[in-house]
Amino acid sequence: MANIAIIRSKHRICGVLTGTLPHLSQQNVFLGVPLVLMPEEAALLVNIGAAVLVDDPSAHRNPTIPQLEAWSAEQRESARSQIAHTETKTAKESANAGRAMSEDALRKRREREERKRAAAAAAADKIATASGSTESDPSLLLVTPAEAKEESVQTSSPADPLSASSAEPSKTSSLPYTIVIPASASSQPWYNAASCTYKTIESARAAGVWDYPATLAERARCGVFHDLWKQGYFMGGGIKFGGEYLVYPGDPLRYHSHFAASVVESPLASLRPMEIVAHGRLGTATKKAHLLCGWDDDKQEVSYLSIEWAGFG
């Protein structure tokens, strides 16, 4: 999130957030990470030295046996701590509700909790025993919290209502703890991007990682985007308004766009009268001027022509 804030506030690159926020599943306005960049935005950040291109698949090395053991130990410890927290919470709830329960129900609950603890201990012993044979099969070390608790969940009797309620503490999960899925593996010890990082477009293209811009149309888009950016504008996607970009005088969260920009591959390219009329009427209807941006690939320059629909009286 810090990097997203930096490129927006310092470099005027907004991108588009595409992730669903955990507590706002029905959202339709504000989204979360990851942030998706247009190719022009990514190329601009690399060209100004604000970002690098990383060949992420190649950066993931094969982990060593000690690294896998450490990772598996962390997963087991996380599962155990969450199980212990859940059991403590359940015990407190049982103590509060104990007065309203019969002795037989309390006895069944205690037996069920003892079976859970025994099954969890057996699963941990099984994992520890399996780790001794990891030299022949390192994949045995990749133990998830779900596997560490699998036998414990299976020991609950579905015919017992109390067992069912304790095995399913929520409507969305049958596990009494949370499985954390990290968003990025860059923090793992087996991730090394030193030899897979490219600081220029040319080096990334030579390595076969990135090839944008490659055609005249792509060079025109990058050239126009960079030129408008140098003038202090913010840019966003403009497909809904008949252009390549929307051009904002400031942050789109604070300002409306002034232009809908279309990229023309040559300043001498011909335009049909119908295109001029359509751009002018659409821009006026949406309270914008339409900006025709002609890219000169030889001079590496951009020329601009704005269209507005004017009334005659």
Side-chain angles (χ1 to χ4, degrees):
M1 292 299 293
N3 292 333
I4 293 175
I6 289 173
I7 64 173
R8 188 182 190 102
S9 61
K10 185 177 179 180
H11 302 295
R12 304 192 309 278
I13 298 296
C14 299
V16 178
L17 290 168
T18 59
T20 301
L21 299 175
H23 299 293
L24 294 173
S25 58
Q26 300 299 323
Q27 66 208 289
N28 56 8
V29 177
F30 294 103
L31 298 172
V33 292
L35 181 78
V36 177
L37 299 176
M38 292 186 291
E40 300 92 312
E41 293 174 320
L44 173 64
L45 289 173
V46 174
N47 287 333
I48 65 175
V52 295
L53 295 170
V54 178
D55 184 8
D56 194 66
S58 299
H60 290 82
R61 314 295 184 183
N62 291 327
T64 63
I65 297 298
Q67 289 174 342
L68 285 176
E69 289 176 344
W71 182 86
S72 296
E74 290 177 2
Q75 299 299 307
R76 290 195 295 270
E77 182 59 30
S78 175
R80 290 194 184 101
S81 63
Q82 293 188 61
I83 292 170
H85 175 75
T86 303
E87 289 178 348
T88 302
K89 182 179 179 181
T90 303
K92 291 180 180 179
E93 293 176 351
S94 300
N96 294 333
R99 299 185 183 90
M101 296 179 64
S102 64
E103 293 183 2
D104 185 57
L106 289 172
R107 178 181 57 78
K108 289 182 178 180
R109 173 163 290 188
R110 285 194 295 270
E111 292 175 354
R112 185 167 60 252
E113 291 175 353
E114 290 176 0
R115 290 197 300 269
K116 283 184 183 180
R117 285 191 290 270
D125 293 341
K126 181 179 179 181
I127 294 170
T129 303
S131 63
S133 59
T134 53
E135 294 185 359
S136 59
D137 188 3
S139 63
L140 294 175
L141 287 168
L142 295 173
V143 181
T144 64
E147 294 172 347
K149 190 61 179 176
E150 181 179 2
E151 294 187 9
S152 174
V153 175
Q154 290 178 350
T155 54
S156 299
S157 174
D160 188 351
L162 293 176
S163 298
S165 62
S166 63
E168 298 182 2
S170 65
K171 295 181 180 179
T172 59
S173 175
S174 61
L175 300 176
Y177 55 86
T178 303
I179 298 177
V180 179
I181 301 176
S184 173
S186 59
S187 61
Q188 300 295 346
W190 54 79
Y191 183 88
N192 184 6
S195 61
C196 309
T197 300
Y198 306 93
K199 296 182 179 180
T200 64
I201 299 293
E202 291 72 19
S203 61
R205 181 182 289 113
V209 175
W210 182 269
D211 61 353
Y212 192 97
T215 64
L216 175 59
E218 293 174 352
R219 291 196 299 273
R221 290 175 67 97
C222 280
V224 169
F225 188 92
H226 197 171
D227 193 72
L228 289 171
W229 178 85
K230 286 193 299 183
Q231 298 180 50
Y233 291 108
F234 284 72
M235 266 76 67
I239 187 64
K240 293 190 294 184
F241 296 91
E244 274 76 25
Y245 312 115
L246 290 180
V247 183
Y248 298 84
D251 194 305
L253 293 177
R254 300 180 57 190
Y255 296 90
H256 289 289
S257 59
H258 286 185
F259 302 98
S262 293
V263 177
V264 182
E265 297 177 8
S266 169
L268 301 178
S270 60
L271 290 172
R272 295 179 300 169
M274 186 66 71
E275 292 182 77
I276 299 175
V277 173
H279 288 321
R281 291 182 67 89
L282 178 58
T284 303
T286 55
K287 299 181 180 179
K288 298 172 179 51
H290 198 92
L291 197 62
L292 295 176
C293 311
W295 170 252
D296 191 327
D297 201 43
D298 296 328
K299 297 181 180 180
Q300 299 289 296
E301 294 178 352
V302 186
S303 58
Y304 299 98
L305 176 67
S306 62
I307 303 174
E308 293 184 83
W309 191 260
F312 297 93

